[in-house]
Amino acid sequence: MIKLSVLIPVWNQEKLVINALEHLPRRDDIEVLVRDDGSTDNTLANLRKYKEDHPELNLTVVANKGNKGVAWTKNRLLKAAKGEWFHVHDSDDWVYTNLYNKMITEWLTNCKDADVVCMDLEINGGARYPLNENTQKVYCAQISRFIKRDFVKGMTFPENIRAGDDWYFAEELLTRNPKIVYSGVMAYHYNYPREGSLSYLQVRGLV
């Protein structure tokens, strides 16, 4: 049985996406689904080589026919997921392996009645962003949340915008009144600010 589906959309991150995969725990009860969105660098080739060299990671690599956009790619990843829970993992970020493993082993196992389990984020420079009732709408990115897949049936990421699709997804998620658990575990590194990232460009009004 797959407990967790890790969903990674990627475009032109030939090195950082491999770093993301290196930090994921090796477990029989997780699947890692990576979908390349028409990269023009060596991202797809590197992913296929990594899959070949690392059979201990339950990794699936799929490629879009051309560049479809991040929301389109996330929707196809979510449709393909088989896990009880899913986590959308940005391709340029990474997790703290032992703490992420703890989230799967302890929190996702013990919080059977929860619909969402949150973890805290750390950004470049060491600042920590805790997820709690007061910050859940501010730090709304799906990278901070493990979500029950059955709970979001019928929901999709909006494909008509280039950036910020996760904010709209989170808003719709909250309208369903999920039971949310805040772990306080800082298991995820949000690689921000990083010049050239989608978030960096969005904050500066360039997308």
Side-chain angles (χ1 to χ4, degrees), residues 132-145:
N132 53 51
E133 292 182 358
N134 296 323
T135 62
Q136 66 175 348
K137 288 190 175 182
V138 180
Y139 313 141
C140 64
Q142 300 315 309
I143 57 174
S144 63
R145 295 178 168 92

Side-chain angles (χ1 to χ4, degrees), residues 71-190:
W72 191 96
T73 304
K74 287 177 185 175
N75 286 333
R76 273 63 191 178
L77 285 167
L78 184 54
K79 186 176 180 179
K82 298 177 182 177
E84 177 186 4
W85 299 82
F86 74 92
H87 173 221
V88 179
H89 185 314
D90 284 353
S91 61
D92 56 342
D93 298 340
W94 62 90
V95 301
Y96 299 114
T97 310
N98 291 339
L99 293 173
Y100 194 82
N101 197 51
K102 179 179 180 179
M103 293 297 305
I104 302 169
T105 299
E106 297 181 15
W107 290 87
L108 300 190
T109 298
N110 296 331
C111 299
K112 298 183 183 298
D113 295 332
D115 303 304
V116 179
V117 175
C118 297
M119 54 187 164
D120 291 356
L121 310 177
E122 184 180 53
I123 67 170
N124 298 339
R128 179 172 179 161
Y129 287 77
L131 266 289
N132 53 51
E133 292 182 358
N134 296 323
T135 62
Q136 66 175 348
K137 288 190 175 182
V138 180
Y139 313 141
C140 64
Q142 300 315 309
I143 57 174
S144 63
R145 295 178 168 92
F146 297 95
I147 304 172
K148 280 272 182 69
R149 191 165 55 89
D150 285 347
F151 188 77
V152 298
K153 280 187 177 178
M155 286 179 56
T156 57
F157 293 88
E159 298 177 7
N160 60 333
I161 57 176
R162 184 179 175 189
D165 56 278
D166 57 341
W167 188 88
Y168 291 98
F169 190 93
E171 285 291 293
E172 184 176 351
L173 175 71
L174 293 177
T175 66
R176 296 191 175 195
N177 297 315
K179 180 178 179 180
I180 304 176
V181 173
Y182 303 99
S183 71
V185 177
M186 192 179 67
Y188 193 92
H189 188 97
Y190 179 30

